Each structure stands twice: as C-alpha cells, then as structure tokens.
Amino acid sequence: MHGNPMPDSYVYVTEEGVTRHYADGSVEALAWEDVVEVRVVTEPGEDVLFVLLDRDGEGCVVPRSATDATFLARLRYLPDFDLDRLTLAADSARDGVVVVWRSPDPPSALPDLEYD
C-alpha cells in the first residue's frame, strides 16, 4: 500500500481554543481564555513543541510541524504576546524550555512538566 504514513497527531485551532488528537485516541484541549502561559520546548533533532498551559498546569502540546498561520495568528490575541520572542525561542539551537508568554494575571506557580 502506498501513501503517506498516518501522523502521530492532528491539531485543530478554532476561535474557542486548540485541540490535539493523538493516534492512540487521546485528546488534549485548551480554551484560549484559559491559557495563562506559553512555553517553547526545544531538543536537538526533535520537533519544537509549543506548550499552552492553564492555571492548573494542564494544557495542550502543539508540535511546530503541526502549526499553521491560524495558530500563530490566534496566539497574537493573547495580551501583549510577542511573536518575535516565540520565533527566537523556537529557532534557538539550545535545548530546553523557555517561557515566551505569561498572562498579566498568572497563577503563583506552574509546575515543571515532562514533555514527550
């Protein structure tokens, strides 16, 4: 059988939020109004991950390869979101986690999370 292999996940961006459907049937979703932090996770040889978190540290992990103009445009609606800061962090050769945006009214502390 020929064709493209099944992707590991699909990402849907709407005016209400972002949802990631995994090949195993699990789903991560977060409403834009609940986003309090955006992180960029980089590792050499791996896809860059954009991590959107809510007040409880729950959220949605979005691979850069699954993003499009709609996702980036929607991020700009977050108060004082700096798309240049996001791009700089995503293009960094250094591996690690960078917080690129926090809500003006963030929770006291968000947990450090492990990313797959």
Side-chain angles (χ1 to χ4, degrees):
M1 184 171 199
H2 297 285
N4 294 332
M6 193 70 162
D8 290 337
S9 65
Y10 295 94
V11 175
Y12 297 100
V13 177
T14 66
E15 288 298 314
E16 290 77 36
V18 61
T19 305
R20 182 176 179 187
H21 295 265
Y22 290 86
D24 67 3
S26 60
V27 176
E28 292 176 342
L30 188 60
W32 291 114
E33 66 188 25
D34 294 333
V35 175
V36 298
E37 188 170 288
V38 177
R39 298 177 182 181
V40 174
V41 180
T42 56
E43 289 184 38
E46 298 292 327
D47 198 359
V48 173
L49 302 175
F50 301 123
V51 182
L52 310 177
L53 297 171
D54 68 11
R55 293 188 179 284
D56 297 323
E58 299 292 322
C60 189
V61 177
V62 179
R64 179 160 72 175
S65 61
T67 63
D68 60 13
T70 304
F71 177 76
L72 297 175
R74 188 55 191 89
L75 285 174
R76 287 187 226 155
Y77 285 100
L78 298 172
D80 299 320
F81 189 85
D82 185 347
L83 194 56
D84 291 334
R85 181 174 166 88
L86 176 85
T87 302
L88 183 63
D91 291 342
S92 171
R94 187 172 26 148
D95 56 325
V97 178
V98 176
V99 175
V100 295
W101 179 83
R102 270 201 185 111
S103 168
D105 184 29
S108 56
L110 286 173
D112 290 331
L113 302 174
E114 301 272 331
Y115 304 101
D116 295 332

